[in-house]
Amino acid sequence: MASKQARAVQTNRTASQQDDEESRRAISNVEHHPLIRFIELQDKQNGVTEVQIPVPYGSIAGKWFGPKNVRPILCLHGWLDNSGTFDRLIPLLPPDVSFLAIDLPGHGYSSRIPDGMSYFQVDCIPLILRIMREYGWSKVSLMAHSMGAVIMFIFAALFPDKVDLLIGLDALKPLSFYPDRFPERMHKQVLKFIQADLRNQEKSEPPSYTYEEMMDRLYEGTAASVSRETCPYLLQRNIKPSRKFPGKYYFDRDNRMKYNVISGWSDDVNAELGKRITAPFLTVKAMDSPYPGSKEGFDQMVDILKKANPKYEVVYVPGSHHVHLTEPEHVVPVVVDFLRRYWQKEVDVVSKL
């Protein structure tokens, strides 16, 4: 059940805040690009339901796949992505399993944090607890990609008794920073954050592009990790039609997210976190994707997890960092096998839909 306080904050948001959020979600039918309509039709065919989860600064948006009376696997996307990253994977997974893919704060259709505030990856830890409380879950199952998988790792280590299943897609642990590089990196991040925050407060329209140019920018920005054919699945919730230039669009995600504060601690801390994770845990590593930090650091954490958790496993599949989106057929058999062994249906969940 949602807390009365959270609902009260949601109700008392200013009309301006509500208008801004509705405006970010609204892309008129007249201005819809055919590829956006195609994805909307897919969602309808797959029985996807849009959800809104109240938080003190607005709401968290999400897409619910599967039965509404079954506790879903909560899905967390990667940095600057959104819940659309799972649009091609989840429909290929068992239909009796439910999934709730959310847009993290500042992404997709979810609310931005207030002006002047910074994004911290660890802020998503209490967000998961808030979602659990909203739906009345005593346990949470998680499937996550990239930054979302790092958040999942931290949550599972801090609250091992609240997690019953973990699926990480092409990421494993928080990055470890070199002490001599960290101060200069943070110095640059803070200055860039201030610039992005001021641009938000000006409320001026960002640069706009044709839809095809938007696909090119996303494709190039991910170093071809997202194929041009699958760019629309991420663009759908990340863009808005320009009011100045008909037929063009701009990125509507919060630019402060580019300079979010990544959890930075030593390898020793990561090792201790890894030892605390006890739930069945699958890591799907894309073979054509670079290792965050280093392969040695990844392998060391795999060894730690295997020694501490007999239900941990890592499977390597061909594909890029976004393999679950671009080539989900490589990921599906691995995830289905894992779900068959460890997923347990929890029915009679109170639906908020």
Side-chain angles (χ1 to χ4, degrees):
M1 299 293 288
S3 69
K4 293 181 179 179
Q5 181 182 10
R7 289 200 179 279
V9 173
Q10 171 77 359
T11 303
N12 293 332
R13 283 180 299 139
T14 66
S16 175
Q17 286 176 311
Q18 293 176 0
D19 290 344
D20 285 347
E21 290 171 19
E22 290 172 3
S23 177
R24 282 199 294 275
R25 297 186 194 105
I27 301 179
S28 71
N29 290 331
V30 174
E31 295 178 286
H32 261 183
H33 190 279
L35 289 174
I36 296 177
R37 292 185 179 182
F38 172 74
I39 295 172
E40 290 177 341
L41 178 61
Q42 276 194 335
D43 280 351
K44 186 175 181 180
Q45 292 172 340
N46 291 325
V48 176
T49 302
E50 287 280 345
V51 303
Q52 295 289 322
I53 303 166
V55 291
Y57 46 87
S59 62
I60 295 297
K63 303 175 72 168
W64 189 301
F65 299 74
K68 305 305 185 290
N69 67 331
V70 174
R71 175 165 64 84
I73 295 175
L74 182 64
C75 303
L76 310 177
H77 61 77
W79 182 58
L80 300 183
D81 292 345
N82 54 72
S83 58
T85 195
F86 298 104
D87 279 0
R88 300 187 74 225
L89 173 63
I90 291 176
L92 301 178
L93 298 177
D96 58 328
V97 183
S98 291
F99 298 86
L100 173 56
I102 64 168
D103 298 331
L104 293 170
H107 297 78
Y109 296 162
S110 288
S111 299
R112 301 176 177 185
I113 62 174
D115 289 343
M117 303 298 293
S118 301
Y119 287 94
F120 287 77
Q121 283 190 4
V122 292
D123 286 344
C124 293
I125 305 304
L127 175 63
I128 295 173
L129 293 173
R130 183 178 291 276
I131 293 172
M132 292 177 67
R133 183 176 62 184
E134 171 70 13
Y135 287 103
W137 305 335
S138 59
K139 297 272 190 177
V140 65
S141 307
L142 294 162
M143 180 168 71
H145 171 241
S146 195
M147 180 183 75
V150 172
I151 294 166
M152 178 186 78
F153 178 95
I154 300 171
F155 183 88
L158 297 181
F159 300 97
D161 59 324
K162 295 185 180 296
V163 179
D164 61 7
L165 181 148
L166 300 162
I167 301 171
L169 304 173
D170 204 48
L172 181 53
K173 65 178 180 65
L175 289 173
S176 300
F177 292 117
Y178 296 101
D180 59 331
R181 300 180 190 175
F182 185 77
E184 183 62 25
R185 182 183 185 278
M186 283 301 301
H187 170 83
K188 294 179 180 178
Q189 288 285 92
V190 170
L191 293 179
K192 291 179 179 178
F193 157 76
I194 291 174
Q195 293 176 349
D197 188 52
L198 290 174
R199 284 196 296 269
N200 280 356
Q201 295 178 48
E202 292 170 357
K203 299 190 181 302
S204 58
E205 185 176 296
S208 57
Y209 310 90
T210 65
Y211 193 86
E212 288 67 26
E213 289 172 335
M214 297 292 271
M215 288 199 296
D216 289 340
R217 293 180 70 84
L218 180 58
Y219 173 77
E220 294 165 4
T222 63
S225 173
V226 179
S227 65
R228 282 192 169 86
E229 293 76 15
T230 55
C231 281
Y233 291 95
L234 293 179
L235 289 177
Q236 184 195 24
R237 301 172 79 87
N238 259 354
I239 65 173
K240 183 179 175 182
S242 170
R243 294 182 180 180
K244 296 181 179 179
F245 305 101
K248 291 190 174 184
Y249 304 81
Y250 61 85
F251 286 104
D252 192 43
R253 62 198 175 203
D254 192 340
N255 279 331
R256 288 176 295 174
M257 271 303 308
K258 293 181 181 179
Y259 316 111
N260 66 334
V261 180
I262 299 173
S263 304
W265 39 60
S266 69
D267 287 330
D268 290 341
V269 173
N270 280 333
E272 290 303 317
L273 291 173
K275 293 174 184 177
R276 290 172 54 87
I277 300 176
T278 57
F281 187 176
L282 167 68
T283 297
V284 181
K285 180 70 184 79
M287 292 188 288
D288 302 323
S289 174
Y291 289 84
S294 69
K295 184 179 185 302
E296 292 75 19
F298 179 89
D299 291 340
Q300 288 171 5
M301 180 53 66
V302 167
D303 289 340
I304 290 169
L305 289 167
K306 284 184 175 180
K307 290 177 181 177
N309 185 352
K311 295 181 180 179
Y312 175 75
E313 58 192 282
V314 58
V315 178
Y316 297 85
V317 299
S320 69
H321 181 56
H322 286 82
V323 63
H324 64 288
L325 173 63
T326 60
E327 299 171 292
E329 64 274 11
H330 295 164
V331 178
V332 168
V334 180
V335 173
V336 169
D337 175 67
F338 184 78
L339 291 175
R340 283 175 177 165
R341 285 183 284 134
Y342 295 115
W343 179 73
Q344 295 183 352
K345 180 183 290 186
E346 183 177 321
V347 297
D348 297 328
V349 174
V350 177
S351 176
K352 298 279 183 179
L353 308 182

